[in-house]
Amino acid sequence: MKRMITALMALALMLVPASAKKTKKAELPDRQYWCEQAYKMAQPVLENMAKGELQKNMQTEFSPSFDNRNRKVVYMETFGRLMAGIAPWLALPDDDTPEGRQRRQLREWALASYKNSVDPASPDYLVWGASGQNLVDAAYIAESFIRAYDALWVPLDDVTKQRYIAEFKKLRSIEPPYTNWFLFSSTIESFIAKAVGLREYDDFRVMMTIRKVEEWYIGDGWYADGPVFAFDYYSSYVFHAMYLETLQNMIDAKANTRLEYRKYYDRALKRAQKFSIILERFISPEGTFPVIGRSTPYRLAAMQPLALMAWYQKLPKDLSNGQVRAALTQVMHRMFDQQQNYNDGGYLTIGFCGHQPETADWYTNNGSLYMTSLSFMPLGLPADHPFWTCAAEPWTQVKAWGGQPFPKDHRWADDIQTKDRW
């Protein structure tokens, strides 16, 4: 068996273009390599923001067709999206390993950055309420608190917490488009319910989102982004994670409404598991995946549900820890080892695999791209977890293209029914 796995992994490497062959970084143990990538992405942002110098020092980049919104939204996008991705990692307990020291430093910077982002006296006070875009990225900040509640929300001082809740509530003036944006409202409001109580949140924004997301589910793990389906990665970028988190927050808050949140959650989890199977099958033997739809500069955010299921320890039975880790690691190597994804200041550049500004949408800036950090969520599993310690295994496409047995795919149907409780 070991010989077969070695041969299949060699086949995967043979299919990688010469320009993307393994470098010295590929020789690092997988977890060390992931930590290196996460730290490289986070350090320039958090070290500067902790000192109130992100807006002074960040080298920004905007889409050639960027609209007329306040360009300072770039800083909220950078901070919120980065923190949503690395929050699980920062929630691990401290230790004296090299990784532990890096993690502790990032957490210290992050806590100072959270404070600065809502302090009107700080140069890095974010532009809350200056644009509809703020609703999106405030939701990613709330999501970071959800993913590391005890490590990133609880330690904040009372004034900072009160400022966050006040800023979150002000965003109710923003009317979300009839799309995935509903989930940004529900993520914020459900976090308010969990953090400060049921009397403080807007129940309608949560209830309406849940009903609409259910209407927009089209089967086999896919959600339409509003009434019309688009073949893109918004099921990855937004739907699966924020829907599960909205429902879990309502469970945690012990909300008593018409909806049976636990049944909705269990059904949404099964849908996310099916979608994670699809994403794993999208990863080719050489570590690439289809570049489709809008927002492709979000890079590895396309793999968020697969990373989320790994972190939740809820991978479906068809996916092992070893194959998921091997597949995601190969994608990281393919994307980050050869192409230049960072500018001279250490900040992400617009592109998918390298600097490709032509891939930008009209709403894209290089803060948007920190969505790629969402692939780092399995770092929230400790280093001795089987996700990191078990042997690497060939993923589905390596098996399929290598002439080896692999699980047959099939349609998944919902088997949990819900109805209003009264």
Side-chain angles (χ1 to χ4, degrees):
M1 181 66 179
K2 183 176 180 181
R3 186 175 298 173
M4 184 192 80
I5 292 171
T6 301
L8 290 172
M9 297 298 282
L11 170 64
L13 183 59
M14 286 171 60
L15 293 171
V16 179
S19 62
K21 293 288 186 182
K22 287 187 177 181
T23 66
K24 288 184 178 179
K25 290 183 180 180
E27 302 302 321
L28 294 174
D30 288 349
R31 185 178 178 92
Q32 187 178 344
Y33 176 76
W34 283 48
C35 291
E36 180 183 275
Q37 296 303 316
Y39 189 83
K40 178 179 180 179
M41 195 175 295
Q43 177 265 327
V45 175
L46 297 183
E47 183 175 14
N48 275 288
M49 195 167 183
K51 296 183 289 188
E53 295 180 354
L54 180 66
Q55 297 186 36
K56 172 186 174 185
N57 293 331
M58 182 176 175
Q59 294 181 18
T60 59
E61 181 182 7
F62 294 85
S63 166
S65 57
F66 199 74
D67 62 10
N68 61 358
R69 77 186 73 179
N70 188 325
R71 291 198 168 203
K72 285 190 174 183
V73 297
V74 62
Y75 306 112
M76 183 180 279
E77 293 190 46
T78 301
F79 178 61
R81 297 174 187 216
L82 171 68
M83 291 309 304
I86 66 171
W89 185 35
L90 303 192
L92 288 178
D94 288 335
D95 60 58
D96 268 338
T97 64
E99 175 196 333
R101 290 191 290 272
Q102 281 190 330
R103 194 170 63 236
R104 182 167 56 247
Q105 178 64 83
L106 288 176
R107 189 190 312 116
E108 290 172 359
W109 285 336
L111 290 171
S113 299
Y114 280 122
K115 183 175 181 179
N116 287 338
S117 70
V118 288
D119 181 359
S122 170
D124 275 342
Y125 176 65
L126 299 176
V127 286
W128 297 88
S131 166
Q133 180 66 36
N134 294 142
L135 177 63
V136 178
D137 299 297
Y140 284 104
I141 293 176
E143 188 174 48
S144 72
F145 291 142
I146 294 165
R147 292 176 174 177
Y149 191 83
D150 291 337
L152 298 180
W153 174 255
V154 172
L156 296 177
D157 62 88
D158 289 342
V159 171
T160 298
K161 289 178 180 176
Q162 291 165 9
R163 285 172 171 168
Y164 268 108
I165 298 303
E167 297 287 10
F168 285 153
K169 288 182 176 180
K170 289 177 186 176
L171 296 173
R172 292 170 181 168
S173 64
I174 297 173
E175 180 183 355
Y178 202 56
T179 64
N180 66 89
W181 279 48
F182 275 31
L183 281 155
F184 302 136
S185 292
S186 73
T187 299
I188 292 170
E189 295 298 335
S190 65
F191 172 71
I192 292 172
K194 175 178 178 173
V196 294
L198 293 170
R199 292 186 178 182
E200 301 293 327
Y201 88 113
D202 185 337
D203 174 58
F204 183 77
R205 290 173 188 266
V206 175
M207 294 276 282
M208 180 57 68
T209 296
I210 293 171
R211 295 192 187 280
K212 286 301 169 185
V213 169
E214 290 297 331
E215 288 179 14
W216 295 339
Y217 182 67
I218 60 174
D220 248 7
W222 291 90
Y223 288 95
D225 191 9
V228 179
F229 177 72
F231 188 48
D232 57 28
Y233 285 112
Y234 272 80
S235 289
S236 287
Y237 299 150
V238 182
F239 276 94
H240 282 291
M242 287 193 170
Y243 191 35
L244 283 168
E245 288 159 340
T246 293
L247 294 168
Q248 185 63 59
N249 284 340
M250 300 312 295
I251 294 168
D252 292 346
K254 297 180 170 56
N256 181 27
T257 73
R258 293 180 184 274
L259 303 185
E260 295 182 273
Y261 295 111
R262 173 52 65 184
K263 283 189 175 182
Y264 278 88
Y265 181 91
D266 290 344
R267 184 169 63 191
L269 179 63
K270 288 188 175 184
R271 294 171 180 173
Q273 289 173 321
K274 169 57 180 176
F275 198 66
S276 69
I277 289 175
I278 292 172
L279 292 174
E280 191 270 351
R281 285 173 179 257
F282 275 3
I283 300 174
S284 72
E286 63 266 33
T288 63
F289 60 85
V291 185
I292 56 170
R294 60 203 167 99
S295 301
T296 55
Y298 295 172
R299 294 181 170 94
L300 285 172
M303 294 291 130
Q304 179 181 204
L306 184 57
L308 186 72
M309 291 300 99
W311 176 48
Y312 280 1
Q313 304 178 71
K314 296 291 185 182
L315 287 171
K317 62 180 178 62
D318 287 348
L319 301 181
S320 70
N321 282 309
Q323 76 185 86
V324 171
R325 188 190 79 241
L328 290 175
T329 302
Q330 186 71 6
V331 175
M332 286 186 190
H333 282 304
R334 184 67 182 85
M335 181 166 285
F336 289 113
D337 286 359
Q338 297 295 322
Q339 305 299 333
Q340 182 50 262
N341 292 284
Y342 293 90
N343 60 31
D344 292 342
Y347 300 95
L348 287 169
T349 58
I350 293 177
F352 175 76
C353 186
H355 186 214
Q356 302 155 305
E358 71 281 358
T359 63
D361 295 285
W362 54 268
Y363 48 79
T364 308
N365 60 66
N366 66 327
S368 314
L369 319 181
Y370 284 84
M371 285 267 281
T372 193
S373 70
L374 299 174
S375 63
F376 294 138
M377 283 187 287
L379 284 174
L381 299 170
D384 61 357
H385 187 275
F387 182 84
W388 299 109
T389 61
C390 66
E393 299 176 38
W395 53 99
T396 302
Q397 298 302 331
V398 174
K399 295 175 184 176
W401 288 96
Q404 301 299 321
F406 63 95
K408 186 176 75 170
D409 198 14
H410 59 87
R411 177 179 177 271
W412 281 30
D414 286 336
D415 60 358
I416 297 175
Q417 302 300 316
T418 57
K419 60 181 181 179
D420 284 5
R421 296 170 63 224
W422 64 78

